[in-house]
Amino acid sequence: MEGAGYLGDMRILAVTTWLPTPGSPSTGAFVVRDAQAIAGRGHDVHLVHLVPPAQYAEGLAERDTIGGLPVTRVPMGTSNPVQIVEAGRVLRGMAGHADLVHSMAFSSLLPFAVRRPRAPWVHTEHWSGLTAPQTLPGWWQPLLPVLSRLLARPDVVTAVCNYLAAPIREVRGAKVTTVVPCIVPVPAPVPPRPADDRRLRLVSIGGLIDRKDPLLAVDTLAELLVRGHDARLVFVGQGPLEEDIRQRARTLEITERVRLTGSLDREGVLDQLARSHLFLGPTRGDNFFVSCAEAIVAGRPVVVGATGGQGEYIDPDIGQTVATQTAAAYADAVESVMERTQGLSAQQISDTIGQRFSVDSVAAGYQDAYDRARSAGA
């Protein structure tokens, strides 16, 4: 290990199963942002992408560059023991040239299950399966108590919120577990709230999956229409429930008031937020809930599910979490939040979070984790 102190440039080997590919350009975008933030502090960051061998059929190169950072792809299927063992051997060899190993995402722990890297080791966790195991496939649930013990192995583990840190601390005991949030930059400028308050434009951003409960968002729209609101709902994202959403809208005879945009880039997401009056996210379980935080820093009030870490940063003056998964409960919350935020500007809403999730704040959190990991191994 080089250097006498813990500050200054280090060679970081960042290992992850989540990175963007041509076939899935949005997967692991937050990993890239974190790695760029770490590199911004002067560290030499090299990404290792553990990729299922079948994905090489997409034409993925062994060596690549993503977001200005070098990437090496190592074949590994998360359900193939032989490939996991071989990936572990390759990673330990690469880690021999690093000052610190930073694994990101639960499945990236698998190659280190038998032998950990010799370098100080930090792991970052985002996975909702730890906090909402009921959302996992049935065959996964009996494995979770066994596999979660892998979280005890790194020197330091970071979680994106206290809600996720709690089950991790149960596994790790006295070993350091700290909170480093996701990066959610404040747009400049913060878009003003729509001037037309005769209509109610709702936006829901995220995967169209059961856990996000997009069908309940459609039902909530229908309930608001019954109550006399001239409301519309836009979904930004993609997923297996896309056709179910359209069918629910047809059944409720509100097709013309529901629109699906598919996945959008950051500019497209900000444009949809700028057009909206309120963010609606009836999630059954999230950890950080990035799109909720993105809505707030963009100056939009929020109504979201109560299960998750989002309640840790939602100021009750500008948002509400809902504990009951019914259209009536969400419609009540929408009406309440719109009423109490009527006199607030977009900037005032954004300022309730401010720079807490900025690149600099997150990078400083990771630097602290690195310093603690190197102290533990000293």
Side-chain angles (χ1 to χ4, degrees):
M1 191 179 302
E2 296 180 353
Y6 297 144
L7 297 177
D9 297 356
M10 290 192 291
R11 295 169 299 180
I12 310 295
L13 187 71
V15 181
T16 183
T17 47
W18 295 350
L19 272 187
T21 65
S24 185
S26 61
T27 298
F30 55 88
V31 172
V32 177
R33 289 194 293 269
D34 282 1
Q36 289 171 323
I38 294 162
R41 290 188 70 94
H43 299 306
D44 180 7
V45 179
H46 188 115
L47 285 161
V48 178
H49 188 190
L50 302 173
V51 188
Q55 286 195 18
Y56 277 107
E58 298 180 7
L60 297 178
E62 179 183 356
R63 299 189 181 278
D64 204 346
T65 300
I66 297 178
L69 300 173
V71 178
T72 299
R73 295 189 174 95
V74 174
M76 189 194 86
T78 56
S79 60
N80 188 314
V82 174
Q83 293 174 4
I84 291 171
V85 169
E86 176 59 17
R89 185 189 66 78
V90 173
L91 289 173
R92 286 191 298 274
M94 297 177 74
H97 303 284
D99 298 305
L100 183 140
V101 173
H102 189 163
S103 53
M104 301 178 175
F106 187 82
S107 47
S108 66
L109 293 168
L110 295 174
F112 302 118
V114 178
R115 290 178 58 191
R116 59 157 288 157
R118 291 187 177 181
W121 180 14
V122 171
H123 176 73
T124 289
E125 196 51 73
H126 298 255
W127 190 38
S128 61
L130 292 169
T131 48
Q134 71 277 6
T135 64
L136 296 174
W139 61 269
W140 239 106
Q141 296 186 28
L143 296 175
L144 187 60
V146 176
L147 292 177
S148 63
R149 295 174 192 163
L150 294 175
L151 289 162
R153 296 179 63 79
D155 299 302
V156 173
V157 170
T158 76
V160 292
C161 58
N162 282 306
Y163 176 72
L164 177 57
I168 295 173
R169 289 183 174 123
E170 289 181 8
V171 174
R172 289 179 57 78
K175 297 186 75 172
V176 176
T177 302
T178 187
V179 173
V180 179
C182 295
I183 293 173
V184 186
V186 178
V190 174
R193 299 179 73 181
D196 181 7
D197 57 5
R198 293 170 299 175
R199 297 179 178 179
L200 178 56
R201 298 189 187 96
L202 308 175
V203 64
S204 189
I205 303 170
L208 305 180
I209 58 177
D210 282 334
R211 181 170 54 81
K212 298 287 188 179
D213 215 346
L215 298 182
L216 180 53
V218 179
D219 294 344
T220 301
L221 172 67
E223 175 66 20
L224 289 165
L225 291 169
V226 168
R227 297 184 185 193
H229 298 281
D230 183 7
R232 296 177 183 273
L233 172 62
V234 173
F235 286 101
V236 178
Q238 60 186 26
L241 294 184
E242 183 174 334
E243 184 53 38
D244 297 75
I245 292 169
R246 291 195 171 96
Q247 181 57 49
R248 181 65 64 88
R250 286 193 292 267
T251 300
L252 295 171
E253 299 182 347
I254 56 173
T255 301
E256 75 284 357
R257 292 181 177 272
V258 176
R259 186 162 72 91
L260 290 80
T261 69
S263 294
L264 299 176
D265 59 15
R266 173 172 167 76
E267 289 72 23
V269 169
L270 285 174
D271 178 63
Q272 291 301 324
L273 285 168
R275 296 167 184 266
S276 71
H277 293 92
L278 180 139
F279 175 88
L280 178 63
T283 179
R284 297 176 193 164
D286 260 272
N287 285 323
F288 187 81
F289 206 169
V290 170
S291 56
C292 175
E294 286 176 334
I296 295 173
V297 299
R300 298 302 178 265
V302 299
V303 170
V304 297
T307 304
Q310 55 271 19
E312 297 172 23
Y313 59 75
I314 296 175
D315 186 313
D317 287 340
I318 60 89
Q320 186 168 326
T321 61
V322 181
T324 304
Q325 293 295 102
T326 65
Y330 276 91
D332 288 345
V334 169
E335 291 178 328
S336 177
V337 169
M338 288 303 298
E339 181 178 358
R340 65 178 178 262
T341 60
Q342 190 171 10
L344 297 178
S345 69
Q347 188 65 57
Q348 287 173 311
I349 293 172
S350 179
D351 287 345
T352 62
I353 287 180
Q355 299 299 322
R356 285 161 56 192
F357 307 145
S358 68
V359 170
D360 287 345
S361 294
V362 171
Y366 281 132
Q367 183 65 59
D368 177 69
Y370 291 173
D371 294 347
R372 293 191 188 202
R374 298 189 80 184
S375 294

